[in-house]
Each structure stands twice: as C-alpha cells, then as structure tokens.
Amino acid sequence: MTRSAKFLKRSVALGAATLAALSLQPSTAGAAGAPTPSSGTPGTRVVGGVPAAQGEFPFMVRLSMGCGGSLYRQDIVLTAAHCVDGSGNNTSITATAGVVDLQSSSAVKVKSTKVLQAPGYNGNGKDWALIKLARPITNLSTLRTTTDGRYDQGDFVVAGWGAAREGGGQQRYLRKATVPFVDTPTCQRVYGSAYIPGEEICAGIMRTGGVDTCQGDSGGPMFRKDDAGAWVQVGIVSWGEGCARPGKPGVYTRVSAFSQAIAKAADQLRR
Ligand code: ARG
C-alpha cells in the first residue's frame, strides 16, 4: 500500500501541473521569475487568493527551482523535501526575499551553500528540508515554527507565487489566501493511506473548493496567529489532488511533528 500510495501522491502532484513550474523541474524555474503575471483570472484569484501587501509576510521566500519557503533563521530557509534533490553542499539555489514582486529591484537575492533534506524522506510524509544561505538576511523577520499541536486547528493563511488556478502559470506577485483546517478522519476519507496523519495536516474548503495552494507553492508556509498574536508556522505546502477541487483539501507537512528534528537539522547546518 505504501508503494501505490506514493505513486498516487506523485502522479497527483505532477499531473496537475501542465503549465505550472514544478518544484521538481528546475528548468521551469525561469518561468517563475519571468514577468508574466496572472494567467487566467486577473485581480483575484495561491488559488482563490488575493495579492499580499509588500511587507505583510516578511518571512516569505521564493526559491529558484520553483518553490516557496520561509525564513527559519536569518540564514536558513525551511521548504519541502520534494523541492530539493538530497542533502549536501549545494550552491545552485537562489533565494529571493523581501519583496512581493519577484521582479522588484529591491529584491534580496542570496545563493544557497548547503541543503539538508529530512532524514528518511522517501516521497511519503516527512516533506521538509532546510537550505543554508551564503549570508544572513538581516532586515527581515523569521517565522517561528510551532512546537506542539495546539495550533493545528482553526483557519490558516497560505501564501506563494505558485499557480493561481489548476494548470495555470506561476505568479510574479505574491498571493495569499485563508484555508480552514480539515480534520484527520475527513482527510483520511478523501486520500486513504496516501495521507499520513502523524506527519501531515489538511486544509481547504471541503464543500466548494475554490481556495488552495497549487503547483509552485510547495515548500511555502501555512501559518496562523499564536496566542500572543504572532505568526506561527503550522504547515509546509506539500501536495493535493489537483488544486482547489471540491472535496480535495491541500495536504501540508505537519510542522508540529517535526519542529524538534528541524531545529536539530538547523544546528547541524550551522557548523
Ligand atoms: N506539489 C505542489 C508543488 O510542488 C504543491 C501542490 C499543492 N496542492 C494543493 N492542492 N494544495 O508546488
């Protein structure tokens, strides 16, 4: 079952993206940065979202292979394991930060030095990775990751430069949307054993669809306000069947399950 589940997940994630830049295909990364704004529905519609304001989510990072990420430390980006090739020295990734407009002349661009993919990652669950940057980005705030499960509920914010509709192109301007938590039994009913509850958390509008992350948003954060009113990261964009389809929620890495492992990995990257 593990094999077929993995296959389903892969085929689903890849099949939906005809035009969209895919995290796994660096060749499409250029398109992500190209000055081609929204493809289908200008103005509104991540899918079903709206443009984010400059400075609204200062921790948002765009990665050159066509993924999103969040600033975990000043010199470490948290992203999805499926966005990177493996672990080790890697100077091929460029992180763009500090802007909603990827074409902005004030964009901060920093190269990677190392990648650390989640230990034991095999395409099922554990979809997280860290990217060490060549220098710290000092003028932007980092995004705290949740250390326990108490924020794994409620409404979440997602943001990214990925497709604004299933099969659509990458976005020049950062978009944001709000997606409600989908409980574990419901998500299990939808995705069966492809969904790993201990490692993944689902969000979306079950009845109608219409709001979701999509291809190119992978690796970006799903976050909410904590009790102190500060943003806290609860998820990492991972996969889903299509984008924003009714009854097909987005699946996100459950950050609360990995916060310890991520912290440990970040320490390792420091040396
Ligand atoms: N795997 C996709 C990527 O690489 C993200 C898909 C998210 N899909 C969803 N329906 N929420 O960009």
Side-chain angles (χ1 to χ4, degrees):
M1 199 57 199
T2 319
R3 274 181 84 95
S4 59
K6 182 183 172 187
F7 174 73
L8 166 72
K9 196 177 295 189
R10 277 299 171 209
S11 61
V12 156
L14 296 171
T18 37
L19 265 169
L22 263 188
S23 51
L24 303 171
Q25 297 179 331
S27 57
T28 54
T36 26
S38 154
S39 45
T41 33
T44 51
R45 324 200 151 212
V46 152
V47 181
V50 295
Q54 177 60 39
E56 190 176 5
F57 307 122
F59 43 77
M60 283 299 305
V61 174
R62 176 69 175 183
L63 297 169
S64 54
M65 82 293 273
C67 277
S70 55
L71 211 54
Y72 180 78
R73 300 276 185 261
Q74 288 187 342
D75 61 347
I76 296 179
V77 173
L78 176 59
T79 187
H82 80 262
C83 289
V84 301
D85 279 338
S87 299
N89 293 338
N90 185 328
T91 55
S92 72
I93 302 166
T94 300
T96 301
V99 288
V100 291
D101 177 5
L102 294 177
Q103 301 296 310
S104 168
S105 57
S106 50
V108 178
K109 293 187 187 236
V110 184
K111 288 266 184 197
S112 61
T113 57
K114 290 178 196 178
V115 170
L116 196 156
Q117 194 177 43
Y121 174 70
N122 67 358
N124 263 327
K126 297 181 182 53
D127 198 5
W128 64 269
L130 295 177
I131 295 174
K132 175 99 195 281
L133 303 178
R135 63 176 177 83
I137 299 174
T138 52
N139 55 338
L140 295 172
S141 49
T142 55
L143 179 58
R144 176 174 95 81
T145 49
T146 188
T147 51
D148 61 56
R150 58 199 246 264
Y151 296 118
D152 294 354
Q153 55 174 301
D155 283 347
F156 306 120
V157 179
V158 289
W161 290 270
R165 60 181 174 82
E166 189 174 326
Q170 298 294 292
Q171 302 294 300
R172 171 176 171 175
Y173 298 95
L174 181 65
R175 304 184 74 79
K176 63 166 181 176
T178 301
V179 281
F181 170 70
V182 171
D183 65 60
T184 291
T186 301
C187 204
Q188 270 176 319
R189 230 172 288 130
V190 175
Y191 289 124
S193 59
Y195 166 58
I196 305 171
E199 303 189 358
E200 297 173 319
I201 178 172
C202 303
I205 303 174
M206 282 295 291
R207 276 183 76 90
T208 60
V211 185
D212 197 5
T213 46
C214 199
Q215 268 58 39
D217 292 321
S218 274
M222 178 169 80
F223 47 99
R224 52 163 284 171
K225 291 280 178 72
D226 65 14
D227 294 338
W231 293 122
V232 62
Q233 182 168 358
V234 300
I236 300 170
V237 180
S238 185
W239 61 280
E241 184 175 332
C243 302
R245 296 183 187 177
K248 304 291 180 185
V251 184
Y252 298 79
T253 308
R254 191 183 289 271
V255 165
S256 62
F258 298 108
S259 56
Q260 303 255 359
I262 293 169
K264 192 177 150 199
D267 281 345
Q268 280 170 26
L269 275 180
R270 229 165 242 194
R271 333 210 161 103

